[in-house]
Amino acid sequence: MSINTGVTGVTGVTGVTGVTGVTGVTGVTGVTGVTGVTGVTGVTGVTGVSGFLGGGASAGALITNRDGIAGHWISPQIDQLPTPFCQENKDHLKRLSPVDRAAIFQFELNSRVGFGAAADAAGGGEGMPRTMHIWHLHRASGSSGIPAVKYKELIKFERPTQAVFLDQLRYLESYSDLRPERAPEILSQLGVPDAFFSSILFFHPDRMPRTIELILTALRFSLGITERLKYAMACRRPHEYSPQVQPMIPSPLHPTLPSGHATEAFLTAHILVKLFTGIHPKIQEDRWVQQLMRQASRIAVNRTIAGVHFPVDSVAGALLGLTLGEYIVALCGEPQTNVTFTESTFHGAEYPINHDTDFRWTDFYNVAEQELALSDRAQQYAELGKKKVEIGEKSVALQWLWQKAREEWEEMVCPEIADDPENGDS
């Protein structure tokens, strides 16, 4: 699930921003459908930038037009200038383009995390890294405007052993029988699978542009973390263990664990859960939450069916995606809530073998509590921090995005009908 060109999908102005050309994902992967984000939002037709902002006017026409109407230059006086904008003001965000905001949001998220690899002889040789860390940079107000900062653990990953991957090959063989049936889904999910999630919890760019902007922001953030962990963990793809795997789609060049599709799918599902729940008190929220998680799981499992991921990759991806989901909600959520996040650890070397070790989403999520939680089975190889970690200073810009996205869901509720028990189901 590639989000490299996500900015294009928000604005729908590939030619204006040139973002697709910057990332060059289509050329790298050779799979046009991987980028696919422009089609996700379809905003090109909505904004009509090509036809409205000078789409039919050449630079030459604008030059001669100015020459004809501007007249003699008149320099304004200082008391005739517009009032300056307020500095570092979230209200200014609405005046910016989605591309501008995307850069700001990415800075806000990326500046809060760090990476580290702990040297440990047990990792495969003396001095070789065994444990990979993603750190949260806790910020608090300090003296003279300089923040007091301290890194706190967010994610800790350890690579599975060769025995684990060897054992997992049996799932690649058995799941391959489903390829003819799942092929349409697998190919459709090469890009951002918005259609699959919106078929459950309907959202559309014409109605909910900030919701989509929030999801794309989260996906771009997760891409950097996932790729950094993949590079560090350096786990081979399934087809490198057996010539009989023969994936049905081109295998990505980056390492296999954690699964990026699983990470992004569960991240998306959790954010949608937090946007949607608590607004419609009369519905059975658990049913909707369960469907979103099932959808995320199906996307992850489809990658094993396709032959490009082990189930353990999805295990690591689901844990990572849900951890990042809670982290992002804590960082940019509503001011009064979600001020903590949960630290998670994946002990890949302790992953069991020689029995049922397939991926199950229910091992990682509590539907009733709508939060990351580990089953007894998952606790064999994963753990969560015993205490919630305080997020510290939040991002005002990200809070603005969260608030605007949340309002898109709240605006769909009629207070008069919601308060009337006789009309609650109308």
Side-chain angles (χ1 to χ4, degrees):
M1 189 191 313
S2 174
I3 194 60
N4 296 54
T5 58
V7 178
T8 303
V10 177
T11 65
V13 192
T14 306
V16 175
T17 65
V19 176
T20 302
V22 173
T23 60
V25 176
T26 303
V28 173
T29 63
V31 185
T32 304
V34 171
T35 58
V37 182
T38 303
V40 172
T41 62
V43 181
T44 302
V46 177
T47 59
V49 174
S50 297
F52 181 71
L53 292 181
S58 67
L62 292 172
I63 291 171
T64 57
N65 182 76
R66 177 186 177 276
D67 289 343
I69 69 171
H72 180 70
W73 179 259
I74 302 174
S75 182
Q77 301 299 311
I78 191 168
D79 59 352
Q80 297 172 332
L81 299 179
T83 303
F85 289 122
C86 293
Q87 299 184 86
E88 190 63 13
N89 191 315
K90 65 179 181 180
D91 292 333
H92 189 60
L93 288 167
K94 63 185 177 183
R95 299 175 57 91
L96 306 180
S97 74
V99 175
D100 297 324
R101 288 197 297 267
I104 294 168
F105 298 148
Q106 286 311 111
F107 178 86
E108 291 295 298
L109 286 168
N110 292 342
S111 63
R112 303 301 181 101
V113 294
F115 171 83
D120 188 324
E126 186 174 357
M128 293 293 289
R130 173 182 173 87
T131 306
M132 310 302 169
H133 301 264
I134 299 294
W135 305 94
H136 161 64
L137 185 62
H138 182 278
R139 290 166 43 175
S141 299
S143 59
S144 304
I146 301 176
V149 298
K150 180 181 180 181
Y151 273 124
K152 296 189 176 183
E153 193 86 63
L154 173 59
I155 298 157
K156 185 164 61 177
F157 267 36
E158 298 170 4
R159 185 168 74 177
T161 64
Q162 289 284 76
V164 171
F165 291 123
L166 178 62
D167 179 67
Q168 292 266 296
L169 280 174
R170 57 195 167 100
Y171 291 108
L172 273 295
E173 192 280 326
S174 60
Y175 270 127
S176 66
D177 292 340
L178 295 175
R179 288 180 184 179
E181 173 188 333
R182 296 287 186 91
E185 294 179 32
I186 291 169
L187 295 176
S188 297
Q189 291 163 0
L190 288 174
V192 178
D194 62 300
F196 295 89
F197 285 108
S198 64
S199 70
I200 299 168
L201 195 61
F202 182 69
F203 56 93
H204 189 278
D206 291 351
R207 179 184 292 173
M208 297 178 171
R210 298 293 81 78
T211 293
I212 293 175
E213 196 170 349
L214 173 62
I215 291 173
L216 291 177
T217 295
L219 292 181
R220 283 190 294 271
F221 174 60
S222 73
L223 174 67
I225 290 178
T226 304
E227 290 295 329
R228 190 63 184 89
L229 286 171
K230 281 175 176 285
Y231 161 70
M233 304 282 282
C235 301
R236 291 182 181 272
R237 291 274 174 176
H239 71 278
E240 297 181 86
Y241 284 91
S242 170
Q244 293 179 291
V245 172
Q246 301 177 22
M248 60 166 285
I249 57 177
S251 184
L253 300 181
H254 48 252
T256 194
L257 185 148
S259 164
H261 273 66
T263 300
E264 295 174 6
F266 280 95
L267 170 59
T268 299
H270 183 71
I271 287 179
L272 287 172
V273 165
K274 292 302 181 182
L275 284 174
F276 166 75
T277 54
I279 294 176
H280 305 276
K282 296 180 182 180
I283 70 169
Q284 293 179 295
E285 290 183 344
D286 288 1
R287 295 176 57 201
W288 300 82
V289 174
Q290 188 177 66
Q291 287 297 310
L292 289 170
M293 292 299 157
R294 285 181 177 178
Q295 181 60 75
S297 175
R298 191 173 178 96
I299 291 169
V301 173
N302 277 346
R303 299 292 284 179
T304 299
I305 295 171
V308 295
H309 273 299
F310 296 104
V312 69
D313 301 340
S314 295
V315 167
L319 183 63
L320 176 60
L322 292 170
T323 301
L324 292 178
E326 291 193 353
Y327 177 69
I328 291 171
V329 171
L331 192 59
C332 68
E334 299 171 6
Q336 303 86 353
T337 60
N338 302 318
V339 293
T340 61
F341 65 88
T342 302
E343 167 198 345
S344 66
T345 301
F346 173 68
H347 299 290
E350 298 177 17
Y351 199 80
I353 59 175
N354 297 326
H355 53 83
D356 182 10
T357 57
D358 201 359
F359 166 66
R360 292 192 180 88
W361 71 267
T362 50
D363 286 335
F364 308 98
Y365 201 76
N366 185 318
V367 171
E369 299 297 327
Q370 300 169 9
E371 66 179 10
L372 173 64
L374 300 180
S375 68
D376 291 340
R377 191 173 84 137
Q379 290 179 38
Q380 299 178 65
Y381 55 83
E383 61 180 303
L384 302 180
K386 295 181 180 180
K387 294 182 179 181
K388 293 280 188 177
V389 182
E390 292 186 3
I391 200 72
E393 182 181 276
K394 288 190 175 183
S395 165
V396 175
L398 290 172
Q399 283 182 325
W400 176 90
L401 178 58
W402 178 271
Q403 179 183 357
K404 295 303 179 184
R406 178 77 171 180
E407 287 174 357
E408 291 175 342
W409 296 89
E410 293 174 342
E411 289 173 352
M412 298 172 66
V413 179
C414 177
E416 292 79 7
I417 294 178
D419 293 339
D420 186 347
E422 295 184 1
N423 295 326
D425 297 326
S426 61

